[in-house]
Amino acid sequence: MTQSYNQAEPAGVKKSEKQQKENYFKLTFNELLSILCTATIPIAIIIYTTITRDQQTQAAKERSQFDLKQAAELQQQQIYNRFIDDIYTLHRDGELNDTAKPRAFANAR
């Protein structure tokens, strides 16, 4: 359906509903580009924020797992050091031989 835009319409004649809808949704390239740019910037910001937050969450999880592992290793090292100190104390006091107290070694921490 072609319509010449140079023709004047009579004063009392209404456009059909279909022609009104076509004119209502007719956008120029510049208007369409402007709308797309306006919508693209907030969407890009949302995507960037989501990706950054996910990366920070992942880094925090890795950091907490590393800290828990380090804490467990430190606790094991402290227990081992305390055991060595207790054994050394028993040895220094001469309580590790069979004649002093036969169960001293078994009762050591």
Side-chain angles (χ1 to χ4, degrees):
M1 178 173 158
T2 59
Q3 179 181 359
S4 175
Y5 289 101
N6 295 340
Q7 295 177 353
E9 293 185 16
V13 178
K14 289 186 174 182
K15 292 182 180 179
S16 70
E17 223 177 275
K18 187 175 181 181
Q19 286 177 339
Q20 287 177 353
K21 286 182 181 179
E22 285 178 3
N23 288 339
Y24 179 74
F25 290 109
K26 193 177 265 187
L27 296 174
T28 64
F29 178 73
N30 288 337
E31 291 171 338
L32 182 62
L33 187 61
S34 174
I35 291 171
L36 287 175
C37 288
T38 303
T40 303
I41 292 171
I43 291 171
I45 291 172
I46 290 170
I47 291 171
Y48 173 77
T49 304
T50 303
I51 290 171
T52 304
R53 186 185 68 228
D54 289 344
Q55 288 175 346
Q56 289 174 347
T57 304
Q58 184 67 23
K61 284 180 184 178
E62 290 174 1
R63 208 174 311 121
S64 67
Q65 288 175 352
F66 177 76
D67 289 345
L68 287 174
K69 183 180 175 184
Q70 289 294 101
E73 289 178 6
L74 180 63
Q75 183 182 15
Q76 288 176 350
Q77 187 64 37
Q78 288 174 343
I79 290 170
Y80 177 74
N81 288 341
R82 192 177 318 135
F83 173 77
I84 295 296
D85 289 342
D86 290 343
I87 294 297
Y88 173 73
T89 303
L90 288 173
H91 176 69
R92 184 187 63 201
D93 295 342
E95 296 181 12
L96 284 181
N97 58 17
D98 292 337
T99 58
K101 292 182 183 175
R103 296 189 176 230
F105 183 72
N107 291 332
R109 292 184 202 155

